Amino acid sequence: MRRRQPLRDEQAEARLVRRRLLLAGAGMGALAGGLVARLAWLQVAQHERYRTLSRDNRVRLLPVPPTRGQVYDRRGRLLAENLPAYGLDLVPEQVPDLDGTLRRLGAVIPIGEDDLERFRRLLRRRRRFEPVPLRVGMDEREVAAFAVERHRFPGVDVQARLTRRYPFGALAAHAVGYVGRIGPGELAPEDEAAYAGTTHIGKTGVERVYEPLLHGAVGYRRVETNAEGRILRTLDETPPRGGRDLHLSLDIELQRAAVEALGEEAGAVVALDPRSGEVLALASTPAFDPNPFVEGIPARDYEALRSHPLRPLFNRALDGRYPPGSTVKPFLGLGALELGLTPAARRVFCPGYYQLPNDERRYRDWKRRGHGAVDLHDAIVQSCDVYFYELAHRMGIDRIHDWLARFGFGAPTGVDLPGESEGLLPSRAWKRAARGEPWYPGETLITGIGQGFLLATPLQLAAATAALANRGLRVRPRLARASAPAGGAPQPLPAGAPEPLPVAQPENWAYVAAAMEDVVHGARGTARRIGLGAPVRIAGKTGTSQVYGLPDEEDEPPEDVPRRLRDHALFIAYAPARRPRIAVAVVVEHGGSGGAVAAPIARRVIDAWLGEIEP
């Protein structure tokens, strides 16, 4: 009988179970060891790192932007101020239907395409729980209209904030400038901390030049936040230091007088105090309202300004380059006397034209019949071109260049405004370097009457006139007069020392000054009309710079010349003639005669300052 086999091998199964238990235990031990090792790494080796990260997640430093300093004129009238303004902010995480909310809001208050474009641009940069500006510059009517419907718009609210405002609008836009939103890449990396929390920066004018002074210093709040970055409470705060107020030498009422005197003309007026170089008025017309630029001017409005035929964004006083015309004649006359190139009493016969030796070309005088025999005094008073053709031929272009350079022609004046042009003071070396051509004698002649390559800005002309008024002391034009902490007393800003012009014979100053005085008050002066009834004696010089060249066979310009080809009208002056307190330069683009158009503008500015405004 066969032996029966057991159905189970209990010993084998026990051995299998023991092996599995050993493997499982080893695996669990390895896992536990790894976990312990990882915990030890995090808790011991990386303790300091994660403690720092935890603290940073809990405590944050938030910037508190400073209040920008305000800008005043010389009498304390506000030119740039900070005013509370209302804006509409939207918190994205609290608005479930963003597009629908924007549509419904547009039915309550006006929301333009430019507002929406700016909102969507800012939306991409903010966290969902941070408010995003949707509308800026809301008026009281719009605030009231939204307040009635506010319950329909969760996550949308009206916020009050300070915004920059220019109460005189376009009147001083080219001098004061404006602030605007900080653009991408506009700040250097080292400046980003100083502008943390700040949204605006000076773009043009004194707002730009004195940005470090006006901006102030940022403050900070140390706040406790949750893991999402939401603020729970403020732990402590370092208050910001507000920017300093800026007091300008500009007088807004004299500025108004200059702008009104220019009227509808395109041109510029610069008025300086010749004793100090302080800019009393700096007008460029047409101008523009700087207020829309603060929060971002709509693209169509900016394009309208940019494409305007009279270029209102262009600062003619600072950057406009014009042939100075006959306004250079007193400077060249003084140079010829000082350099011993002509006696003051030497007379030159003017038949109405001038010819170089062995040259058939006639260089015409503005007075076709000529002035007859004139000396230097007569030539300045009557603005005789022939006399100054002959004088320029004697001096030569290089001596003309060197002499005019003493008065600041061909170089920036150094005024505290951005974008100043240096004009153009030609010489042989300049023409060879710039054009690769030689200098011709005829070019010297027309330089002698302020034509040709010679170009100057209205500010340069005013500064040079101030040097004549000072009998050779050059002062640097400046706008900033003083600064002050908010609510504090103004403290004068340092001014540069006058630069003396060496003149061997002081009587030459008196000679030229007397001739300029007779331009206005003499019987044959080219500006004698403005001398009638003048309360003070004025020394001046007219100028007319040619834009359209006449063919040699024509004596008079045709009557139908388009305005854009008509002559520029210029006038320089200082007053009172004996103790000057104001120096003025006027340029009227395509205005025609300097005596008929530019001189009356200067007279109005002088009268306004000496008769009504100056303390």
Side-chain angles (χ1 to χ4, degrees):
M1 185 173 178
R2 296 179 61 186
R3 189 176 179 178
R4 298 177 61 185
Q5 295 290 331
L7 296 175
R8 299 175 58 189
D9 187 346
E10 294 180 356
Q11 292 182 350
E13 290 179 355
R15 288 194 300 270
L16 179 61
V17 169
R18 283 195 299 271
R19 284 195 299 270
R20 289 178 176 175
L21 288 173
L22 287 172
L23 289 173
M28 292 177 63
L31 290 174
L35 181 59
V36 170
R38 180 62 177 168
L39 288 173
W41 170 259
L42 294 174
Q43 294 294 323
V44 179
Q46 296 292 305
H47 172 73
E48 289 299 325
R49 177 172 179 264
Y50 285 103
R51 186 174 70 170
T52 302
L53 290 175
S54 175
R55 186 186 301 117
D56 289 346
N57 187 54
R58 183 172 61 85
V59 179
R60 294 174 56 199
L61 279 178
L62 295 182
V64 181
T67 300
R68 191 174 182 84
Q70 303 190 115
V71 182
Y72 298 85
D73 84 338
R74 68 187 297 118
R75 300 177 198 279
R77 290 168 290 211
L78 271 169
L79 304 179
E81 60 184 337
N82 303 314
L83 289 182
Y86 296 105
L88 198 64
D89 288 359
L90 184 150
V91 181
E93 75 169 6
Q94 299 178 12
V95 181
D97 181 9
L98 182 59
D99 292 335
T101 298
L102 294 176
R103 284 195 300 271
R104 294 195 307 275
L105 277 171
V108 177
I109 61 171
I111 299 177
E113 288 298 324
D114 294 296
D115 297 320
L116 292 173
E117 181 183 350
R118 181 178 61 248
F119 170 76
R120 296 190 189 281
R121 185 172 62 249
L122 294 175
L123 183 64
R124 292 191 291 269
R125 305 177 188 172
R126 305 284 179 93
R127 298 181 182 181
R128 286 188 55 78
F129 56 81
E130 293 179 334
V132 181
L134 174 60
R135 260 294 308 274
V136 294
M138 295 172 64
D139 57 32
E140 294 181 357
R141 180 181 56 81
E142 292 171 334
V143 172
F146 174 77
V148 173
E149 303 291 335
R150 185 177 180 277
H151 64 281
R152 297 173 48 208
F153 300 100
V156 184
D157 207 353
V158 174
Q159 298 292 334
R161 56 175 62 88
L162 290 178
T163 188
R164 201 66 157 177
R165 177 176 172 268
Y166 302 96
F168 291 97
L171 194 58
H174 288 291
V176 177
Y178 58 84
V179 300
R181 289 189 174 271
I182 299 174
E186 193 165 359
L187 290 178
E190 61 269 19
D191 293 332
E192 291 180 357
Y195 280 83
T198 301
T199 58
H200 290 69
I201 193 171
K203 300 284 188 176
T204 63
V206 296
E207 289 274 32
R208 176 178 170 183
V209 172
Y210 291 97
E211 173 65 26
L213 185 147
L214 292 165
H215 174 61
V218 68
Y220 287 94
R221 276 195 308 151
R222 196 162 62 95
V223 299
E224 184 177 354
T225 64
N226 62 14
E228 295 178 344
R230 194 182 308 279
I231 297 174
L232 302 177
R233 64 190 176 106
T234 298
L235 301 176
D236 56 56
E237 183 172 352
T238 300
R241 175 173 53 80
R244 293 179 68 87
D245 294 337
L246 190 63
H247 293 257
L248 304 184
S249 59
L250 199 76
D251 189 289
I252 197 61
E253 290 306 319
L254 186 66
Q255 181 83 2
R256 189 191 307 279
V259 170
E260 290 177 352
L262 282 167
E264 299 299 317
E265 302 283 0
V269 174
V270 178
L272 306 178
D273 185 333
R275 300 166 296 184
S276 63
E278 291 183 349
V279 178
L280 306 175
L282 190 144
S284 175
T285 58
F288 63 96
D289 184 359
N291 288 294
F293 286 85
V294 175
E295 294 298 342
I297 186 171
R300 62 183 177 279
D301 294 345
Y302 178 73
E303 179 58 27
L305 287 172
R306 197 187 66 81
S307 60
H308 194 288
L310 295 181
R311 301 184 296 168
L313 296 175
F314 181 55
N315 189 345
R316 290 168 166 82
L318 205 67
D319 201 28
R321 306 198 311 167
Y322 306 93
S326 295
T327 61
V328 300
K329 291 175 179 177
F331 302 98
L332 292 179
L334 177 65
L337 292 175
E338 184 64 19
L339 297 173
L341 298 177
T342 183
R346 184 178 69 90
R347 302 181 75 81
V348 172
F349 182 76
C350 170
Y353 62 89
Y354 179 80
Q355 288 179 288
L356 286 167
N358 304 315
D359 189 350
E360 294 182 356
R361 180 180 176 182
R362 292 185 174 185
Y363 295 86
R364 292 172 297 196
D365 194 284
W366 69 269
K367 190 175 183 180
R368 302 308 182 190
R369 293 170 300 182
H371 297 269
V374 293
D375 60 13
L376 178 57
H377 177 277
D378 299 332
I380 293 174
V381 172
Q382 301 175 40
S383 199
C384 176
D385 291 336
V386 167
Y387 187 98
F388 283 93
Y389 288 144
E390 199 271 344
L391 193 66
H393 186 57
R394 283 172 174 257
M395 291 184 74
I397 188 58
D398 291 324
R399 277 191 287 201
I400 290 175
H401 171 276
D402 294 346
W403 180 257
L404 292 181
R406 297 189 186 188
F407 288 88
F409 289 91
T413 65
V415 69
D416 46 352
L417 283 174
E420 181 186 9
S421 171
E422 63 183 15
L424 176 58
L425 183 57
S427 65
R428 293 178 190 274
W430 166 83
K431 192 180 180 191
R432 179 68 68 182
R435 303 203 170 198
E437 298 175 356
W439 187 267
Y440 298 106
E443 294 169 333
T444 301
L445 302 190
I446 60 175
T447 302
I449 62 167
Q451 297 284 162
F453 297 116
L454 180 61
L455 299 172
T457 68
L459 182 61
Q460 285 176 324
L461 289 174
T465 304
L468 282 178
N470 288 336
R471 301 294 197 269
L473 281 181
R474 280 185 61 192
V475 290
R476 189 180 75 175
R478 63 189 182 105
L479 267 167
R481 202 181 193 196
S483 72
Q491 300 165 355
L493 292 172
E499 176 188 344
L501 294 174
V503 171
Q505 303 179 58
E507 62 271 17
N508 291 334
W509 292 109
Y511 183 90
V512 172
M516 292 181 67
E517 197 171 340
D518 282 347
V519 168
V520 178
H521 300 282
R524 303 187 69 180
T526 52
R528 58 188 178 276
R529 276 185 276 182
I530 72 163
L532 299 175
V536 297
R537 300 283 289 185
I538 300 170
K541 182 67 191 79
T542 57
T544 303
S545 63
Q546 198 174 57
V547 176
Y548 169 74
L550 292 176
D552 288 340
E553 64 273 10
E554 292 186 20
D555 287 336
E556 299 290 341
E559 296 181 358
D560 59 348
V561 171
R563 182 175 178 82
R564 61 184 177 84
L565 297 179
R566 296 178 187 174
D567 297 341
H568 298 317
L570 300 94
F571 189 69
I572 59 171
Y574 59 85
R578 297 293 185 267
R579 293 185 178 179
R581 301 198 301 274
I582 184 172
V584 182
V586 178
V587 175
V588 179
E589 290 183 0
H590 313 294
S593 166
V597 177
I601 294 173
R603 165 72 190 273
R604 288 181 61 179
V605 173
I606 291 170
D607 285 353
W609 182 244
L610 298 181
E612 304 169 16
I613 297 175
E614 185 189 30

